[in-house]
Every structure is written in structure tokens, then in C-alpha cells.
Amino acid sequence: MPSKAFELVESIIKAGQDGPPPDLAIERRQAADHAAMYQAVPGVHDEPVDVPRADSYLMTPDNPRDDLVILYVHGGGFRSGTAAVARPIAAQLALHTKARVLLPEYRLAPEHPFPAGLDDCVAAFEHAATIAPRIVVAGESAGANLAMAVLLARAACDDHRALAGVLFSGVFDLRAERYTSGSWVDRADTDLVLGGADDAMSTDYLGGHPADDPLVSPLLADLSAVPPLFIQASSAERLLDDSLELAARAARAGVHTEIEVWPTMTHAWQLIAGFLPEATEAAARASAFVNRIGDGRMVDGAALMGGPATLEGAL
């Protein structure tokens, strides 16, 4: 049963749906207003940084670990959103994992179509590597798409610095047909955030680039070389199928894959971790996954290092 806080969030979202859909300028202004509401989380210091671009952030927990960093890519349909908006979820990840979290700002469409945003996220990956040697790449919505694209780009270069992926409510297929079937259609009435959305994110981000490029539609990629994945989605959101299909394809490719489907939640509910209990719990569960990976308790998706479940030391 959803919490009272979720019922409040739901009522606020519904109240804001009166009137015509906001245009892109209004969406961006709303994102900036949302970011300005952030209140610092005790035990986590948020610092504006200019790498890879101005208005990025570095979230540093008290007594941070030096072996692991999280690169967290914000969403916003490739067209809006800011690194600052993602500070609540980033703070919770930093708090629970003791890892620094880099929140990169990246160039937005339609002014800067593919591959501009991805190029900025790859540059952010390289900067994250100067903070710690192992990198968990995470993100929500369009940010989850960019996170997967970073993982695919690194895997293609046989780069093993990427330790895992954490993907919240991701969009993983930008082909035109995805907008005419499946959960995009079936969940239009239950998705409080994307219910009235159209294909603008695909059109603006692609800018004429083929939608079947695996770097924009990771569902079409060879996933066999990507690191372990942790995926969360809501059963009520239009992008549910993206997460289900990515998880299935990754699992078939031999990738350790964990997926959680939460009932009722809004698209990308994790963003309001620290306020919404369900979002805080989702962040804690993602952090537990990161900690297992970071501590070496999952290798190649199966083996436990140390402990009674292995034959280590018995031979």
C-alpha cells in the first residue's frame, strides 16, 4: 500500500496537470525551480564543479571510500532536467555506499542532438576515473539511456573500469514503433508523469540519427560485455517494457541482472529519495547492490568471493 507521502505526491502531480502541457522552456524552468528546493543531507557535502561542464556536482559523503565512485546521469527526456535536480537521489546513494557521486551536466537536445550529450557523459566517465578506479554508472529515465550508452561505449573499448550499472525507469528504445504499442500505450492512463508525453524526446535527441543505433536504443545492443545491472521500474509507468526487455536481453546475454518492478509508483520516483519513503527504500536497495559489487561479492554475475558459498580455501 502506498505511503501517505506518496498520496501527497500523487495529488500534487495531478493538480499540476490542469491546463495545456508545458512547452520546453517551461519544462526547463520547472526543473530549475525543483532543483532550487534541494536541502542538504547531513553527512553528504554537495559541491558545484565545472567538469565535464559547468553546473555539474560532486556529492561527497563523510569518510568516503577511495576505491569506488558513482557517475549519476540525470534524466529529462534528453531535453530538460539538470544535474542539480538529481542531488536527492545522489545524496542517498552517497550516504549508503560511502562513495562519491559525480553528477555531470550535459548538453541538451534539440540544440545539441546525439552524440553531444553522450560525448559529455563519456567525458564525465573519464573524470570520474580520476576520483576512483572503479566506476558505477547510474541514471534515471533518459539518464539511464545515457548510462547504458556509456557502459556500451566502454565495453566496446574493452574498458573494465565500469563496475556496474544502476538504471531507474529507463528509456532504452527510441524507435518510432515503441510509441504505438506495449506499455507506452497500455500505461498511458496510469503514468502520472509521462501520461501525456509524445515522441519529442526521440525526435529532438536523434536529430535525424538512425534510431536503431544501439547507442541510442540499447535494447538493440550486444549486451554480453556490459557489467552487472540493477534495474528498477514502476508497474504503472509507460516505460515499463523498456526495463523488462532490457533485463531479459541482458540476462540472456549472460549478464548478472537484478530487476525490481514496484507497483503504483510514478516514473522515476527515486528522484525524491529522502522525502518519499518508497524512493528512499529504492535508493537503499540500489545502494546494497552497489556495496555487494564494490566489496567483490559478485563476479561475472555469479561467484561469491569468500564466505561459505565458495570452495575458496577448501582445495
Side-chain angles (χ1 to χ4, degrees), residues 54-71:
D55 300 319
S56 300
Y57 280 84
L58 182 65
M59 315 290 287
T60 303
D62 292 344
N63 304 310
R65 60 195 298 172
D66 294 324
D67 63 324
L68 173 65
V69 61
I70 299 173
L71 173 64

Side-chain angles (χ1 to χ4, degrees), residues 288-308:
F289 168 83
V290 172
N291 288 334
R292 291 199 308 271
I293 292 286
D295 293 345
R297 287 185 279 137
M298 283 195 297
V299 178
D300 294 333
L304 295 172
M305 294 181 62

Side-chain angles (χ1 to χ4, degrees), residues 18-306:
D18 295 336
D23 60 22
L24 182 55
I26 293 175
E27 282 186 27
R28 291 177 176 178
R29 186 164 64 248
Q30 289 174 340
D33 291 343
H34 186 191
M37 297 170 62
Y38 176 72
Q39 295 183 351
V41 174
V44 180
H45 175 67
D46 60 293
E47 172 190 5
V49 294
D50 291 334
V51 179
R53 298 180 63 82
D55 300 319
S56 300
Y57 280 84
L58 182 65
M59 315 290 287
T60 303
D62 292 344
N63 304 310
R65 60 195 298 172
D66 294 324
D67 63 324
L68 173 65
V69 61
I70 299 173
L71 173 64
Y72 188 96
V73 185
H74 73 80
F78 307 102
R79 305 166 1 117
S80 64
T82 68
V85 168
R87 283 179 293 174
I89 177 63
Q92 292 297 317
L93 293 173
L95 200 62
H96 290 299
T97 66
K98 289 298 180 181
R100 295 175 176 87
V101 182
L102 177 63
L103 293 169
E105 200 55 271
Y106 56 88
R107 286 169 290 176
L108 299 175
E111 297 93 333
H112 305 284
F114 177 85
L118 177 56
D119 288 346
D120 291 341
C121 292
V122 171
F125 181 94
E126 293 302 327
H127 179 68
T130 69
I131 299 172
R134 301 184 299 167
I135 305 164
V136 172
V137 187
E140 100 282 343
S141 194
N145 176 294
L146 289 164
M148 269 304 299
V150 170
L151 293 175
L152 289 168
R154 294 300 87 209
C157 297
D158 201 27
D159 185 342
H160 300 289
R161 293 174 295 174
L163 191 64
V166 173
L167 310 170
F168 300 138
S169 293
V171 51
F172 303 118
D173 187 355
L174 296 186
R175 293 174 296 174
E177 52 264 38
R178 67 82 49 79
Y179 297 101
T180 61
S181 63
S183 62
W184 187 264
V185 175
D186 298 340
R187 299 299 194 271
D189 292 335
T190 58
D191 192 320
L192 296 177
V193 175
L194 300 177
D198 54 25
D199 62 354
M201 65 175 173
S202 291
T203 301
D204 288 352
Y205 181 55
L206 292 174
H209 187 80
D212 59 359
D213 182 342
L215 290 179
V216 298
S217 294
L219 279 181
L220 306 180
D222 176 0
L223 301 175
S224 60
V226 302
L229 299 176
F230 179 87
I231 302 168
Q232 286 179 340
S234 168
S235 65
E237 67 172 306
R238 301 186 83 175
L239 290 173
L240 173 62
D241 283 355
D242 287 58
S243 290
L244 294 177
E245 292 177 22
L246 182 73
R249 295 188 186 204
R252 291 191 184 102
V255 176
H256 178 99
T257 307
E258 299 184 23
I259 181 168
E260 297 182 350
V261 178
W262 289 53
T264 312
M265 293 296 103
T266 65
H267 169 70
W269 77 96
Q270 301 89 345
L271 276 177
I272 46 177
F275 169 75
L276 182 67
E278 292 91 341
T280 306
E281 172 65 15
R285 296 177 69 86
S287 298
F289 168 83
V290 172
N291 288 334
R292 291 199 308 271
I293 292 286
D295 293 345
R297 287 185 279 137
M298 283 195 297
V299 178
D300 294 333
L304 295 172
M305 294 181 62

